Amino acid sequence: MDNGDIESGAEDEFPQQGRRKYRPVVAHDRAVLEMSSMDPGSSSSSSSLPRRDVPLRNIKVGQQANEGPDAKEEGSSPRHADVNGSQKESKLELFGFDSLVNILGLKSMTGEQIPAPSSPRDGEDVSITLGHRKTSDLKLGTMMGVFVPCLQNILGIIYYIRFSWIVGMGGIAESMLLVFFCGLCTFLTAISLSAIATNGAMKGGGPYYLIGRALGPEVGVSIGLCFFLGNAVAGSLYVLGAVETFLKALPAAGIFRETITKVNGTAVAQPIESPSSHDLQIYGIVVTVVLCFIVFGGVKMINRVAPAFLIPVLLSIFCIFVGIFLARKDDPAEGITGLSLSTFRDNWGPEYQKTNNAGIPDPEGKVEWSFNALVGLFFPAVTGIMAGSNRSASLKDTQRSIPIGTLAATLTTTALYLISVLFFGALATREKLLTDRLLTATIAWPLPAIVYIGIILSTLGAALQSLTGAPRLLAAIANDAILLPPGSSRCTQLASTVEVSPLEPLFAWSITLHCLIYYYVSIKGKAGDWGDGFKSAYFQLALRSLRSLGASQVHPKNWYPIPLIFCRPWGKLPENVPCHPKLADFANCMKKKGRGMSIFVSILDGDYHECAEDAKAACKQLDTYIDYKNCEGVAEIVVAPSMSEGFRGIVQTMGLGNLKPNIVVMRYPEIWRRENLTEIPATFVGIINDCIVANKAVVIVKGLDEWPNEYQRQYGTIDLYWIVKDGGLMLLLSQLLLTKESFESCKIQVFCIAEEDSDAEGLKADVKKFLYDLRMQAEVIVVSMKSWDLKVEGGSQNDDSLEAFTQAQGRITDYLNEMKEAAQRDGTSLMADGKPVVVNEQQVEKFLYTTLKLNSTILRYSRMAAVVLVSLPPPPLNHPAYFYMEYMDLLVENVPRLLMVRGYRRDVVTLFT
């Protein structure tokens, strides 16, 4: 990880004040013109600005606290008073008034900045080639930019050759229901499209831009690519429809022999002629090439050609309606009744029947029709409403043109279809409707050729719109650089017209392709922060969930560890590493399957106004490092005059409601004596006291350098020295460790310390029962205090601890003598860490003895353990912080890997489901 890379972004974004003076900038300023044409993500932008090095501050050890730990737990009383007020000696006095793990205690636990858009080309015409940014001179209005393209795409071949057949099969009533249902679907879609289009400025890319900016890049790219493929395939289908109509109108133009489908079992017995598939392919390719040349001509060429395609279509529809009103019985063909009320009644209801592949009724046919089948057949006749939004980059006013033009085209075509249902149903017999595939041409006035021309031009117009919109859409995706490389727009304008798959398998493959593209973009794609709707929904859901959680205590069944990882090291870290590498590994061990939130915090010494930029750079570096370590969490950097003041602010304010961190995790300062860092004891004790006052659990890791990563498998045991009641936190942590691959081969041992007057066997039985109810498999070992006073055979296991005990005694005596000399010299009471203290030498000796015996017990039973967890004693009141560090050093002496755990005033595990 390069520190310079992280720093450069912060430097350019937050230039240091006072370094240089700036003159006023005007619109024609050369710098403004140059910067406006720059890619926000390009390196030239950063190189043009004056660079200054902003190294991350070396995290210095905080100053000595001005105030000593005077925190006192809630409900505490004089240290040696029991509930009856009597004085009682205890060899575990070091743990203060924490409830010891005993039979009564176990029973009580059984109760209940917004970055720049990733696309630098938003707003340019996506049909232009790569190079300098250009703006299209031609801007279209509502009529030619949206209404006409949508009308061309919606009015197609289905109206001419299939609509009268649909009326004959479904009847007037169900046909009107069909048109209303399909029209309603597209109308609601058009309303949604209009809502998004009017929500802000819209750039090039049409539906991809709308969907991508509203629902995110994953949905936008997946739907956009499928929409592109749909447009390309639709272009081929339109071309096929035009070519087939042409060959039917002019059979002599066919190169190969035609296919004839004979009619069986119908009143009107006439052959149905179909062009050869080879003719369709040859003519289709020729027409597609011609349309592509028109598309290559750009927006101006398309707008010149579009009226030539649309006006004959509208004229043909006008001729059809004129022919309907002029028709009489058996005129112009047999089966035509003219507008007749009796015919209207006869055709009111549906008459679904089997047909052959050509749609001709046949009792032995293999195609059976129903209302659902008619929906699938007719629905493409109402699609095409995206044709206007595909031209969004060429519109004068997208927020006005897209809604008006799209909704007008939708309502116009739906009204046309509804009127046509009524007229076709009253015009001809059902047999005529089902057998005459070109009834519209039969009744057209004055010549059927007008309808043939309308069919050909309508399909060619729709194909032109498809071939116009598809490459623009793909170019917009490419320009966003999320999935495709820039410049991959021109190669996709040709659509295949040779093969057309069946509709149902094609639909399944579109759905499958959409899911695959969505998954690929979500995993591999470039993130585009466009303020999409999903993120807004997630934010609202998070707020609603946070409010539903409230501020009351969470039930133990719903309790999750939210660790506050204190990254501030006791000493120096390697360069460009903002956090101890193993601290992130340990944070993952505290979460089940790595899930959950961690908060990584660090403190910079100094004044906030002077160090704000350094803090932002450090936060970005820490956040990058968290992602590199695959740890789910957030990074926070706090600037404070000292470490103690900074942490006190963090522990009070970090988090919201029940999402506040509940466990503080930090490294044990093993180096403080070796490097003579005399200010560490006061800071360390102050942090623990702050956690106690803020009701936060504490986990202190000793031997962090030796903590295993996910690939280092551990064997042996996880030993818990469960001395005081911690709400089950120590038990929970041991279970979380077992879920990690590095510790899954270990077994748990629970050690309990029995006081001299307690029932050791009863305590062991109760702990076993308690662990059984928790469904926790562990071996229970009770260590009696009487065994502490007995000399272990050989004495080898106590030699190391005894030597450390003797050295600690000497250092405490020397420190106490220095305090007394200073007090006599200054004529004051004993002072330590800037505050008066009271030293009971007998109590100090007792605390040292307790830690000695506890350390000896750990070395005796757990020298080969994979990890040891022990209850963390609170700092004694009115004790010098130096003394507490001596106790802790003696406790962890010669234990390679140790977790000191202190719970808080609530349970985190429960026996009940």
Side-chain angles (χ1 to χ4, degrees):
M1 183 174 57
D2 189 358
N3 189 25
D5 294 341
I6 297 177
E7 293 168 6
S8 61
E11 294 164 14
D12 297 341
E13 190 175 357
F14 304 99
Q16 184 175 357
Q17 298 181 359
R19 180 171 292 273
R20 55 182 296 185
K21 295 183 179 179
Y22 295 95
R23 61 179 176 83
V25 179
V26 295
H28 60 273
D29 195 300
R30 179 174 176 270
V32 175
L33 298 179
E34 288 181 356
M35 292 175 65
S36 65
S37 62
M38 285 182 180
D39 183 343
S42 65
S43 58
S44 60
S45 177
S46 59
S47 62
S48 64
L49 297 177
R51 178 180 178 86
R52 63 179 183 88
D53 294 330
V54 187
L56 291 181
R57 287 195 163 196
N58 293 329
I59 302 179
K60 301 178 182 179
V61 177
Q63 301 296 326
Q64 192 170 359
N66 295 328
E67 295 181 4
D70 56 356
K72 190 174 182 180
E73 286 201 54
E74 188 176 327
S76 62
S77 54
R79 288 279 182 175
H80 305 297
D82 60 13
V83 293
N84 296 322
S86 60
Q87 300 293 324
K88 179 181 178 181
E89 291 290 332
S90 173
K91 292 186 178 179
L92 293 178
E93 183 183 339
L94 173 65
F95 291 92
F97 270 80
D98 291 333
S99 300
L100 300 181
V101 176
N102 49 35
I103 298 176
L104 181 62
L106 288 173
K107 289 182 178 179
S108 66
M109 289 184 65
T110 61
E112 285 300 327
Q113 245 139 72
I114 305 180
S118 60
S119 171
R121 296 177 169 273
D122 287 347
E124 72 174 288
D125 188 345
V126 293
S127 67
I128 65 174
T129 57
L130 294 177
H132 295 289
R133 178 174 176 177
K134 296 188 294 184
T135 303
S136 177
D137 295 331
L138 180 63
K139 291 296 183 179
L140 305 176
T142 303
M143 178 61 71
M144 295 303 299
V146 180
F147 182 77
V148 170
C150 287
L151 207 61
Q152 279 187 315
N153 246 22
I154 297 174
L155 284 177
I157 193 171
I158 292 178
Y159 176 77
Y160 290 100
I161 67 175
R162 276 298 190 181
F163 196 70
S164 59
W165 183 93
I166 291 174
V167 175
M169 184 67 70
I172 298 174
E174 292 197 6
S175 296
M176 293 189 68
L177 178 64
L178 172 67
V179 172
F180 177 79
F181 173 74
C182 296
L184 180 63
C185 290
T186 54
F187 182 76
L188 294 178
T189 305
I191 290 178
S192 301
L193 172 67
S194 304
I196 300 175
T198 56
N199 196 38
M202 182 180 172
K203 309 300 180 184
Y208 158 72
Y209 183 90
L210 293 174
I211 297 173
R213 267 55 175 182
L215 300 179
E218 298 86 357
V219 180
V221 171
S222 57
I223 293 182
L225 285 179
C226 291
F227 192 73
F228 157 74
L229 294 176
N231 273 274
V233 173
S236 66
L237 293 176
Y238 291 134
V239 170
L240 285 176
V243 172
E244 183 178 358
T245 305
F246 170 75
L247 292 175
K248 279 185 174 294
L250 295 175
I255 302 175
F256 300 90
R257 294 183 59 186
E258 297 178 340
T259 302
I260 299 177
T261 302
K262 293 184 179 180
V263 180
N264 296 319
T266 58
V268 183
Q270 59 182 5
I272 302 298
E273 298 179 352
S274 298
S276 171
S277 61
H278 299 296
D279 288 338
L280 295 177
Q281 294 170 4
I282 293 174
Y283 281 99
I285 292 175
V286 173
V287 172
T288 302
V289 171
V290 173
L291 292 178
C292 286
F293 276 109
I294 296 176
V295 173
F296 281 131
V299 177
K300 290 184 178 179
M301 177 66 71
I302 295 172
N303 287 334
R304 291 172 182 172
V305 175
F309 284 99
L310 181 61
I311 292 176
V313 172
L314 298 178
L315 178 62
S316 66
I317 294 176
F318 173 77
C319 293
I320 291 173
F321 279 95
V322 171
I324 290 175
F325 286 104
L326 296 178
R328 297 293 180 265
K329 184 173 178 62
D330 294 331
D331 181 25
E334 186 179 354
I336 301 295
T337 64
L339 294 178
S340 170
L341 187 59
S342 61
T343 305
F344 186 89
R345 287 195 298 265
D346 293 339
N347 294 334
W348 177 259
E351 191 173 317
Y352 296 111
Q353 47 191 302
K354 294 182 179 181
T355 67
N356 57 18
N357 292 332
I360 305 303
D362 187 354
E364 298 179 359
K366 298 181 180 180
V367 182
E368 188 170 355
W369 292 91
S370 64
F371 182 80
N372 292 338
L374 291 184
V375 172
L377 176 64
F378 175 73
F379 195 82
V382 297
T383 59
I385 61 174
M386 295 292 184
S389 63
N390 285 342
R391 296 183 170 197
S392 56
S394 302
L395 298 177
K396 294 179 181 178
D397 187 355
T398 56
Q399 297 189 36
R400 181 180 183 274
S401 297
I402 290 179
I404 295 178
T406 305
L407 291 174
T410 303
L411 294 175
T412 300
T413 52
T414 303
L416 173 64
Y417 291 148
L418 290 174
I419 295 173
S420 299
V421 169
L422 298 176
F423 284 163
F424 286 150
L427 179 67
T429 62
R430 192 180 298 271
E431 288 77 13
K432 184 65 174 178
L433 293 174
L434 293 175
T435 55
D436 192 349
R437 298 183 63 182
L438 282 173
L439 180 64
T440 53
T442 302
I443 63 174
W445 177 88
L447 297 173
I450 295 179
V451 172
Y452 286 104
I453 296 174
I455 293 175
I456 295 173
L457 293 182
S458 69
T459 51
L460 291 180
L464 181 65
Q465 297 301 328
S466 296
L467 296 181
T468 302
R472 288 166 172 257
L473 193 149
L474 187 61
I477 298 176
N479 287 334
D480 277 341
I482 292 178
L483 182 64
L484 301 176
S488 58
S489 60
R490 287 282 181 149
C491 60
T492 57
Q493 291 184 341
L494 291 177
S496 173
T497 62
V498 179
E499 293 290 337
V500 179
S501 302
L503 291 180
E504 292 182 0
L506 182 62
F507 179 76
W509 282 107
S510 297
I511 296 297
T512 304
L513 181 64
H514 167 74
C515 296
L516 292 177
I517 295 175
Y518 181 91
Y519 179 76
Y520 179 83
V521 174
S522 62
I523 300 298
K524 299 290 185 180
K526 175 185 175 182
D529 188 6
W530 299 327
D532 56 80
F534 278 130
K535 292 181 179 178
S536 176
Y538 294 153
F539 182 76
Q540 295 296 330
L541 181 61
L543 291 180
R544 188 178 298 111
S545 301
L546 186 62
R547 289 195 299 266
S548 64
L549 284 176
S552 59
Q553 288 189 347
V554 179
H555 191 275
K557 287 188 293 185
N558 303 323
W559 189 90
Y560 285 90
I562 305 178
L564 178 71
I565 312 298
F566 191 34
C567 301
R568 179 74 177 258
W570 309 103
K572 294 183 179 180
L573 286 174
E575 187 177 359
N576 294 330
V577 178
C579 178
H580 196 288
K582 294 299 181 68
L583 205 54
D585 295 332
F586 178 75
N588 279 330
C589 290
M590 298 185 66
K591 295 178 289 187
K592 187 176 182 180
K593 298 181 180 180
R595 294 191 302 245
M597 183 177 68
S598 298
I599 303 176
F600 290 78
V601 298
S602 189
I603 299 173
L604 295 182
D605 293 335
D607 180 77
Y608 176 70
H609 295 281
E610 297 178 357
C611 303
E613 294 182 13
D614 293 346
K616 293 173 184 176
C619 187
K620 186 180 296 185
Q621 184 186 28
L622 181 57
D623 187 66
T624 303
Y625 188 76
I626 293 171
D627 291 338
Y628 168 74
K629 295 294 291 184
N630 294 323
C631 187
E632 292 184 355
V634 295
E636 295 290 344
I637 301 294
V638 175
V639 179
S642 66
M643 182 190 293
S644 299
E645 293 185 22
F647 183 83
R648 189 167 294 129
I650 290 172
V651 81
Q652 293 181 75
T653 60
M654 190 67 67
L656 290 172
N658 274 321
L659 290 184
K660 289 184 177 180
N662 45 35
I663 302 178
V664 175
V665 180
M666 60 180 171
R667 182 186 184 187
Y668 184 75
E670 304 171 48
I671 64 170
W672 76 278
R673 191 191 315 284
R674 184 174 66 250
E675 298 188 12
N676 195 28
L677 301 175
T678 56
E679 69 276 12
I680 282 184
T683 305
F684 181 72
V685 171
I687 289 176
I688 296 178
N689 280 327
D690 290 340
C691 294
I692 294 174
V693 173
N695 196 25
K696 307 290 185 185
V698 182
V699 176
I700 300 175
V701 188
K702 191 261 181 181
L704 188 61
D705 295 332
E706 307 299 327
W707 192 263
N709 58 33
E710 55 182 335
Y711 305 107
Q712 296 173 325
R713 186 172 293 273
Q714 302 297 303
Y715 299 93
T717 59
I718 298 176
D719 291 352
L720 281 63
Y721 285 82
W722 199 23
I723 301 174
V724 299
K725 177 187 173 185
D726 58 2
L729 179 60
M730 191 181 296
L731 301 176
L732 178 63
L733 290 179
S734 65
Q735 292 297 307
L736 291 176
L737 289 177
L738 286 181
T739 63
K740 307 304 173 185
E741 292 184 5
S742 53
F743 290 99
E744 64 182 2
S745 300
C746 298
K747 296 182 178 179
I748 296 178
Q749 294 185 141
V750 178
F751 293 84
C752 297
I753 308 298
E755 296 186 272
E756 294 180 356
D757 56 350
S758 64
D759 181 5
E761 292 300 324
L763 176 61
K764 182 176 182 178
D766 275 4
V767 172
K768 280 188 173 182
K769 177 63 168 57
F770 180 72
L771 297 179
Y772 174 80
D773 291 337
L774 287 175
R775 302 174 302 282
M776 177 177 173
Q777 296 181 354
E779 181 182 358
V780 179
I781 301 172
V782 176
V783 179
S784 175
M785 288 184 181
K786 296 179 181 178
S787 65
W788 284 16
D789 297 325
L790 300 177
K791 183 177 179 60
V792 181
E793 293 185 7
S796 58
Q797 286 140 320
N798 289 334
D799 288 346
D800 295 337
S801 300
L802 194 58
E803 181 181 355
F805 173 77
T806 304
Q807 294 176 356
Q809 274 185 319
R811 289 190 295 266
I812 287 179
T813 301
D814 294 341
Y815 190 86
L816 182 59
N817 290 335
E818 292 177 3
M819 287 196 302
K820 291 179 178 179
E821 291 176 1
Q824 291 178 356
R825 183 178 60 252
D826 300 335
T828 60
S829 59
L830 291 179
M831 301 289 291
D833 308 323
K835 68 179 185 66
V837 295
V838 177
V839 177
N840 186 330
E841 297 184 28
Q842 183 179 3
Q843 188 183 48
V844 172
E845 194 72 18
K846 184 185 295 184
F847 287 170
L848 276 175
Y849 179 78
T850 301
T851 52
L852 165 66
K853 292 304 181 181
L854 187 55
N855 176 260
S856 300
T857 304
I858 294 174
L859 294 180
R860 178 181 177 185
Y861 294 102
S862 306
R863 188 180 289 269
M864 302 303 294
V867 63
V868 176
L869 286 78
V870 64
S871 299
L872 173 69
L877 296 179
N878 300 323
H879 253 57
Y882 182 89
F883 289 5
Y884 182 75
M885 289 302 299
E886 290 289 355
Y887 307 150
M888 294 298 99
D889 279 354
L890 183 56
L891 177 63
V892 304
E893 183 71 24
N894 295 321
V895 183
R897 199 179 294 153
L898 181 73
L899 301 180
M900 290 178 281
V901 180
R902 176 176 177 81
Y904 58 110
R905 297 182 292 271
R906 59 161 305 162
D907 294 338
V908 298
V909 296
T910 180
L911 306 181
F912 305 103
T913 59

